[in-house]
Amino acid sequence: MSENSSNVELPNPLDPEETMSRDQIESIQLARLQETLAYAYDRVPLYKEKYDTAGVHPSDLKELPDLAKFPFTEKEDLRKTYPFGMFAVPQHEVARIHASSGTTGRATVVGYTQSDLDDWAKLGARCLRLSGVKPGWKVHNAYGYGLFTGGLGAHAAAERLGTTVIPMSGGQTDKQITLIQDFAPHAILCTPTYLLTIGDAMQKRGIDPASTSLKVAVLGAEPWTEEMRHELETMFQIDACDIYGLSEVMGPGVAGESNVTKDGSHIWEDHFRPEIVDAFDETKVLGDGEPGELVFTSLTKKALPIIRYRTHDLTRLLPGTARPGHRRMGRITGRSDDMIIMRGVNLFPSQIEEIALRVPGLSPHFRLEITRPGRMDQLAVLIERREDCTSDRADAAARELQREIKIHVGSSCEIRVVDPGSLERSSGKLKRIYDLRNK
Ligand code: DLL
């Protein structure tokens, strides 16, 4: 293989839909919504039953805001109809199945026709291109392969863009490092916390992460903050961009971020209609800019049309910038089911990440433990000090972190600064919260 093949500028045209105006997109959305509602109603008994019970019919959707008349779909609906009860096509038309891990309850199963897989690859490729990944580049894919949508979803996206894909999958960090050094990829795809694990392990082996060939990282599958972006960009000397998605709606590639504007992920609104609803009263659909829970309706999916799916992800919708016709989503501040309520104060791990990374001497490696020693819940933040932080400085850093959390979040918590390398490392989606109340 010629060494300089990646220097050749290959054609990298945008999809025509990427440059559509807001009006054009909304008129596509209306037509596709009408089609999708009728399609789901005719083919999926659960939708028919729900809509009949609610007294609504697909023909009631005359304009986009009418969508609010239709009932929501919940993860529970997929569980109730496990495994294939919400599929809208016969099994022989399903080209692939994925499933979410199902840490709480049954796994949720999702399916794709060949045309769904084509759309998925196309939208994933749009995300990678928007993040600065170029055709002809080598792309190291460290999202997990298998039932999780991350590995195969990102793989198809990178192939569709015209890159050389290295299908490494997650885990085996030493091997990841060897391959990054030997194959010299230009881009890496993984979770933000796993990139941190890789960087950390490189430093332990005496390799400076900034010295690798990597230029771009496309990171998602878990919440992360601007502070984490800064940490990773400094560590690796790369552009770190967000990619968002969820299995029930498609997988990675529902939304992606520009490496130029770095201002949140653009949702591909020719394929998905997003809404934000009040997190405490889902009957209220909120306007752009207002924070709430993200809800999605698929506009083109055939195997598993999904209507008003409650993601439980908390964010807000913002006007498009790099792709003006498509709205952006703000950073996901957390999931409503990941919210810790500590004596009446709501708290998300991403708030701790944001604050901790601003305190000199503290690392991004932390976990939250909730206990109930007496009658009151207690929160402890276990956080590693950085290598160059002495234990005296660590004590001062702990006090600062405690003070900052009290000021910005309003909770009192115990801070335990631990030695570098003592907390479990991520190999994919990192678990931050340990609820030890019933242990
Ligand atoms: O995590 C799909 C994915 C894979 C996205 C690889 C990006 C990259 P699920 O396992 O179904 O699918 O988990 C979906 O993960 O509802 C969010 O809570 C969270 N999530 C995904 N992307 C982001 C992101 C994949 N960029 C759930 N920022 C979602 C914050 C994210 N949270």
Side-chain angles (χ1 to χ4, degrees):
M1 191 163 61
S2 143
E3 267 309 306
N4 63 359
S5 56
S6 66
N7 297 331
V8 178
E9 277 278 331
L10 297 171
N12 192 9
L14 302 190
D15 293 344
E17 295 85 356
E18 282 179 81
T19 52
M20 279 181 176
S21 68
R22 187 74 208 151
D23 284 350
Q24 284 173 310
I25 286 180
E26 290 197 346
S27 83
I28 288 185
Q29 284 187 331
L30 180 58
R32 291 184 170 175
L33 253 185
Q34 287 168 331
E35 247 172 62
T36 301
L37 284 171
Y39 178 85
Y41 184 82
D42 290 344
R43 289 171 173 244
V44 184
L46 182 123
Y47 282 121
K48 180 169 179 354
E49 203 181 294
K50 276 194 182 220
Y51 297 175
D52 288 351
T53 309
V56 283
H57 186 266
S59 59
D60 295 333
L61 188 116
K62 308 265 190 277
E63 29 181 53
L64 291 173
D66 291 336
L67 183 57
K69 296 178 185 162
F70 290 81
F72 293 104
T73 307
E74 303 268 1
K75 203 179 193 71
E76 193 49 36
D77 292 318
L78 283 153
R79 292 209 175 115
K80 273 195 313 226
T81 54
Y82 175 89
F84 308 135
M86 286 187 73
F87 286 16
V89 294
Q91 179 259 305
H92 68 268
E93 288 179 33
V94 178
R96 187 168 339 136
I97 282 167
H98 280 284
S100 76
S101 54
T103 38
T104 51
R106 269 177 175 171
T108 44
V109 179
V110 298
Y112 306 78
T113 62
Q114 190 53 54
S115 85
D116 293 335
L117 291 177
D118 285 346
D119 284 339
W120 186 10
K122 176 185 79 179
L123 299 183
R126 276 190 202 174
C127 292
L128 299 185
R129 186 193 305 113
L130 186 58
S131 299
V133 179
K134 295 201 166 48
W137 275 17
K138 282 171 277 177
V139 173
H140 180 103
N141 185 14
Y143 285 117
Y145 282 66
L147 286 172
F148 174 50
T149 55
L152 285 166
H155 181 105
E159 272 188 356
R160 176 64 61 95
L161 185 64
T163 68
T164 306
V165 193
I166 302 156
M168 174 57 211
S169 194
Q172 294 186 275
T173 306
D174 276 342
K175 187 167 173 187
Q176 305 265 0
I177 296 173
T178 305
L179 291 194
I180 291 170
Q181 290 207 297
D182 295 351
F183 293 178
H186 303 81
I188 185 163
L189 317 179
C190 60
T191 64
T193 54
Y194 192 50
L195 187 58
L196 193 64
T197 300
I198 294 175
D200 226 39
M202 282 181 171
Q203 285 168 339
K204 285 215 176 69
R205 274 170 59 172
I207 301 162
D208 178 2
S211 70
T212 72
S213 53
L214 293 169
K215 298 176 204 273
V216 173
V218 185
L219 310 172
E222 60 183 8
W224 58 304
T225 58
E226 282 306 310
E227 285 70 17
M228 183 68 104
R229 186 194 323 257
H230 178 72
E231 177 84 21
L232 294 169
E233 290 193 333
T234 313
M235 188 180 215
F236 282 88
Q237 290 298 304
I238 44 162
D239 280 325
C241 295
D242 184 57
I243 184 165
Y244 170 85
L246 62 167
S247 348
E248 295 84 352
V249 174
M250 188 175 76
V254 172
E257 189 176 44
S258 156
N259 66 327
V260 178
T261 54
K262 289 190 187 161
D263 54 0
S265 282
H266 281 80
I267 299 167
W268 303 120
E269 288 208 60
D270 48 330
H271 289 265
F272 308 103
R273 170 77 184 173
E275 297 168 273
I276 295 284
V277 300
D278 189 309
F280 303 101
D281 175 3
E282 71 278 5
T283 60
K284 282 194 203 138
V285 177
L286 303 179
D288 288 1
E290 294 188 73
E293 179 186 330
L294 187 56
V295 169
F296 275 111
T297 301
S298 67
L299 303 176
T300 49
K301 285 205 316 165
K302 293 296 176 217
L304 187 78
I306 195 105
I307 295 159
R308 305 201 80 209
Y309 184 73
R310 294 192 60 176
T311 64
H312 294 281
D313 289 329
L314 302 173
T315 183
R316 59 205 175 110
L317 292 175
L318 300 164
T321 51
R323 297 288 182 270
H326 302 261
R327 280 174 292 178
R328 283 170 301 141
M329 46 195 273
R331 273 205 186 275
I332 306 256
T333 48
R335 295 180 51 81
S336 49
D337 38 15
D338 241 10
M339 186 168 76
I340 302 173
I341 305 177
M342 201 44 62
R343 295 174 209 161
V345 178
N346 303 341
L347 180 154
F348 292 103
S350 59
Q351 289 172 291
I352 306 292
E353 180 177 298
E354 194 177 312
I355 297 169
L357 280 176
R358 284 195 239 122
V359 177
L362 297 182
S363 79
H365 302 287
F366 70 91
R367 65 188 246 182
L368 306 178
E369 285 185 2
I370 310 168
T371 51
R372 188 177 287 161
R375 274 188 302 165
M376 295 261 257
D377 288 346
Q378 278 192 0
L379 175 69
V381 180
L382 279 72
I383 185 160
E384 290 180 14
R385 59 179 170 82
R386 292 192 192 262
E387 287 284 356
D388 58 0
C389 174
T390 58
S391 34
D392 279 358
R393 275 183 40 222
D395 288 343
R399 283 193 298 276
E400 187 177 341
L401 179 59
Q402 193 174 40
R403 199 169 50 239
E404 290 293 304
I405 293 174
K406 181 75 192 160
I407 294 170
H408 296 288
V409 185
S411 312
S412 306
C413 56
E414 180 199 348
I415 310 290
R416 274 184 255 151
V417 179
V418 297
D419 287 340
S422 53
L423 296 180
E424 198 184 321
R425 290 291 182 263
S426 161
S427 60
K429 284 180 195 268
L430 179 64
K431 178 172 152 79
R432 292 269 196 210
I433 303 174
Y434 289 75
D435 188 343
L436 310 175
R437 278 175 291 196
N438 297 321
K439 298 254 160 71

